[in-house]
Amino acid sequence: MTSANLKAVFSPHGAGTPRSSVPGRGVDAIVRGLSEGDPMAEFMAEAQRPSTGTHPLDGHEAGVILERTRASVDPELRSAIESLPGSMRRIAMYHFGWEHADGTPAAGSSGKAIRPALVLTAAAALGGPGARAAAVRAAAAVELVHNFTLLHDDVMDRDTTRRHRPTAWTVFGDADAILAGDTLHALALRLLAEDPHPASARAAARLADCVVELCAGQHTDTAMEALGPRDVTLDEVLAMAEAKTGALLGCACALGALYAGAGEEDVQALDGFGREAGLAFQLIDDVIGIWGDPCSTGKPAGADLAARKKSLPVVAALVSGAPESAELAALYEAPYAEEDLERTALAVERAGGRDWAQVQAADRMARAMQELTRAVPDPEAAGGLLSLAEFVTRRSC
């Protein structure tokens, strides 16, 4: 996307417009923005009506779905992790929040379970409750891969906090955290290899391809760190974000479709749905990485700016052509100074990065809905997936 195109996205509000003056965003904004009689608007409105009580996913609220997912998937995860050698099991149990560093039981959070929820909900949307039950092992495999990436990302990014506790590498060291991540990856593939379900081989191949894409995306992200703030384009960072975040959410949805016995066209549509929702997720996550409340995120405020990350809001601000873009570039080229953190965040916002990211998140959600209707045209059947897609753009920041 060129600077001129970016300016067009900002209008009619203008690059320097405070975010409070911009209309509401997220799925609700998409619904309001669609014209009356638009089939997409009708679909979304229908999907958000109260359930009739006859659908197998009665109760489409994201919180209910995530709770049900944890209840189904956590026992499979624990069983798999408990099969590991003691040294790897200890690190994994700590990372998931189930043990303290000394091995005593803990009641920490093991994450929101968005990705396994997408597996199970996609399976149910296309194949009913039987398909959902059959996909639990696949959902656990996806969650293991996600946590493998978290363990490695924390080492590479030098993040010291995750889920309101010290990251694994700060407790056990770099080498142990990397090895634990490798072990979770192998464990995920073993779960699928041992699964007697007829879709397990295709699911394992798809998940392996996804990991390759994730690694390529992470490599691109790392390579960007060596580039100057004026040397990265918005298209490049969007492609990187799709590989790092969208790919696994798309894969999760595709695995659910495979376990429901869906055809290739529906599998691809759900992959597209997850990818677009994943980009929306990343856009909002990048906003939270700059302006999020540490009490809610578990990470220090402005951590991404302190690390000079070329996140989506930052790159959007850098290429916007606003007067603050040059100021932001100069700040990013200089060594980090804590006293400049607030000034840097303000420059990103005034150059339009925050508004652009949230508008883009809404646009990506609209694209996700288009993909969803291809595979699941019945709004009630798609309600669970819709709720999860809404959830990723309604995170508090």
Side-chain angles (χ1 to χ4, degrees):
M1 182 177 289
T2 66
S3 295
N5 290 339
L6 189 61
K7 288 178 181 177
V9 170
F10 288 139
S11 64
H13 307 297
T17 303
R19 67 183 181 89
S20 59
S21 67
V22 180
R25 304 173 182 84
V27 172
D28 288 342
I30 298 170
V31 173
R32 287 195 299 270
L34 291 167
S35 61
E36 186 176 354
D38 189 313
M40 185 64 62
E42 294 173 2
F43 167 82
M44 294 176 70
E46 177 66 26
Q48 295 179 88
R49 288 175 189 159
S51 173
T52 62
T54 61
H55 192 265
L57 265 181
D58 190 26
H60 286 159
E61 297 84 356
V64 173
I65 295 170
L66 295 173
E67 286 179 14
R68 289 184 63 202
T69 296
R70 275 288 168 223
S72 300
V73 174
D74 275 4
E76 188 76 38
L77 282 173
R78 280 181 174 269
S79 176
I81 290 171
E82 286 169 359
S83 72
L84 296 175
S87 57
M88 294 296 97
R89 181 174 64 246
R90 179 185 173 194
I91 300 166
M93 292 292 281
Y94 172 83
H95 171 74
F96 275 95
W98 296 328
E99 288 184 359
H100 296 294
D102 61 3
T104 56
S109 169
S110 55
K112 296 182 179 66
I114 292 170
R115 291 154 190 83
L118 286 170
V119 176
L120 300 185
T121 309
L126 288 168
R132 182 190 187 280
V136 169
R137 187 172 292 188
V142 168
E143 185 72 338
L144 286 168
V145 163
H146 174 53
N147 282 275
F148 135 67
T149 68
L150 296 182
L151 282 162
H152 283 196
D153 283 354
D154 286 343
V155 173
M156 287 184 278
D157 296 341
R158 311 314 288 172
D159 285 336
T160 58
T161 306
R162 181 171 294 282
R163 298 165 184 161
H164 306 281
R165 68 199 313 227
T167 47
W169 73 267
T170 66
V171 176
F172 301 100
D174 288 2
D176 283 0
I178 292 169
L179 290 170
D182 293 341
T183 302
L184 294 187
H185 178 205
L187 193 56
L189 295 179
R190 190 180 80 186
L191 278 182
L192 291 175
E194 294 177 348
D195 190 352
H197 194 282
S200 62
R202 291 173 64 198
R206 197 169 193 109
L207 188 58
D209 286 343
C210 178
V211 171
V212 172
E213 187 175 357
L214 288 170
C215 291
Q218 180 63 35
H219 178 267
T220 300
D221 191 20
T222 303
M224 283 181 179
E225 293 178 8
L227 299 176
R230 306 170 201 266
D231 299 329
V232 178
T233 70
L234 202 50
D235 285 341
E236 287 172 336
V237 77
L238 280 167
M240 179 271 293
E242 180 178 350
K244 281 191 63 178
T245 305
L248 188 54
L249 270 71
C251 182
C253 295
L255 261 58
L258 286 173
Y259 271 70
E264 184 60 25
E265 186 175 342
D266 287 344
V267 172
Q268 288 300 112
L270 280 184
D271 183 272
F273 163 75
R275 283 176 180 270
E276 295 294 351
L279 268 175
F281 180 96
Q282 188 60 57
L283 285 153
I284 296 301
D285 197 62
D286 282 356
V287 170
I288 292 172
I290 299 174
W291 296 281
D293 179 358
C295 295
S296 301
T297 66
K299 291 185 177 184
D304 286 358
L305 296 180
R308 294 297 189 255
K309 279 183 172 290
K310 297 177 181 71
S311 62
L312 288 159
V314 168
V315 175
L318 286 167
V319 304
S320 69
E324 292 81 5
S325 297
E327 178 189 5
L328 177 61
L331 287 165
Y332 253 57
E333 287 167 344
Y336 168 70
E338 187 174 353
E339 59 267 23
D340 288 335
L341 188 60
E342 185 176 350
R343 181 183 167 199
T344 306
L346 190 59
V348 177
E349 183 162 358
R350 286 181 172 172
R354 185 171 187 167
D355 285 336
W356 175 87
Q358 296 195 34
V359 169
Q360 275 289 307
D363 177 65
R364 293 294 176 169
M365 282 297 297
R367 298 185 194 189
M369 295 307 105
Q370 291 171 350
E371 294 289 347
L372 181 57
T373 56
R374 287 175 52 204
V376 192
D378 174 17
E380 189 173 353
L385 288 169
L386 174 63
S387 292
L388 290 172
E390 282 190 290
F391 177 80
V392 303
T393 59
R394 287 176 178 251
R395 300 175 66 199
S396 172
C397 58

